[in-house]
Amino acid sequence: FDPLLPVAQAMLANALLSAGRLQEAETLLDAARERWPGHPSLWAITYRLLLYSGRPQAAAAFVLEPDFRPDDMSADDVAGFVRLARAVGGRQAADVEASVEHRIRLAGADVHSITSSAPIFALLGRSDLTFSAWDRYFLNRGDFGVPTPIEPYTRRYARELFSLPMAPLRSDPRFSRLLHEIGLETYWQRTRTVPDYRRTGG
């Protein structure tokens, strides 16, 4: 990862976060945000780190700090991020439902938003919705969102399947079935590799 590219730093931080290496991710992000304050990718991963690592109050405080936010973030965006942090922290029904509905609208309108929304569904305890969203994203099936044909050169990214909110769902038979159906199990078998989450028992 090129240390001079903020998006590359955000991707590395996200990988560290998914691996549970929280301190390393946080140290990297602190340094990167000092160099590129308000960068959207660095902001998003920092918020995600706080939210996923059990610090929703810190996530809400981070959102409310204007010096950290991207310039194009609207007041509605700010309110939505604060509401989601509040939903994760307090589990008040109104906050949870509003956050879930907001993410359903985003992911339903744009299939690419599923990669960020499905882990949120998992974080808020909506496992059925999580797997329905992944089914649409990877396999274009089910009743979530709108049909989105998958062509030979269509790109689908699996990294968020292994994000921290998905960890409690790895024992769900639907997770194993999804790995088989999208070809990851076949890939691991043919390459004689073991995914990190199995090697570490995560």
Side-chain angles (χ1 to χ4, degrees):
F1 286 88
D2 191 330
L4 299 180
L5 295 177
V7 173
Q9 294 297 289
M11 292 176 66
L12 177 55
N14 192 50
L16 291 168
L17 170 61
S18 293
R21 295 162 60 176
L22 304 180
Q23 187 57 59
E24 292 174 73
E26 194 158 0
T27 299
L28 184 153
L29 286 168
D30 286 345
R33 287 200 321 277
E34 185 173 342
R35 187 168 193 170
W36 298 287
H39 191 280
S41 295
L42 295 171
W43 188 94
I45 298 302
T46 301
Y47 176 76
R48 189 179 303 173
L49 183 147
L50 295 170
L51 200 66
Y52 289 5
S53 63
R55 291 176 283 172
Q57 291 181 330
F62 176 71
V63 175
L64 293 172
E65 176 51 64
D67 292 340
F68 294 159
R69 293 198 300 261
D71 291 338
D72 62 351
M73 186 172 289
S74 69
D76 285 345
D77 292 332
V78 171
F81 284 118
V82 170
R83 183 177 59 235
L84 175 57
R86 202 166 55 221
V88 171
R91 295 301 172 108
Q92 295 295 316
D95 291 330
V96 171
E97 290 304 319
S99 295
V100 167
E101 289 302 318
H102 174 65
R103 286 288 170 167
I104 288 174
R105 288 194 299 273
L106 286 179
D110 179 6
V111 70
H112 300 292
S113 295
I114 288 176
T115 57
S116 59
S117 295
I120 295 300
F121 298 148
L123 193 63
L124 293 175
R126 301 299 179 86
S127 61
D128 290 347
L129 190 55
T130 302
F131 286 110
S132 292
W134 285 132
D135 276 351
R136 174 62 67 202
Y137 180 71
F138 287 114
L139 303 166
N140 191 30
R141 72 180 183 197
D143 55 7
F144 183 90
V146 297
T148 307
I150 298 176
E151 307 294 343
Y153 295 103
T154 298
R155 291 188 178 187
R156 291 291 186 260
Y157 299 96
R159 58 179 174 264
E160 297 306 321
L161 276 176
F162 306 100
S163 59
L164 291 185
M166 289 297 299
L169 300 183
R170 290 172 189 161
S171 60
D172 190 304
R174 292 172 292 184
F175 187 78
S176 177
R177 184 166 61 247
L178 185 60
L179 295 182
H180 278 282
E181 291 180 317
I182 66 177
L184 274 177
E185 289 291 0
T186 298
Y187 169 78
W188 291 329
Q189 291 167 8
R190 289 178 178 175
T191 59
R192 299 181 180 179
T193 55
V194 178
D196 289 343
Y197 80 93
R198 288 180 184 165
R199 185 164 52 246
T200 61

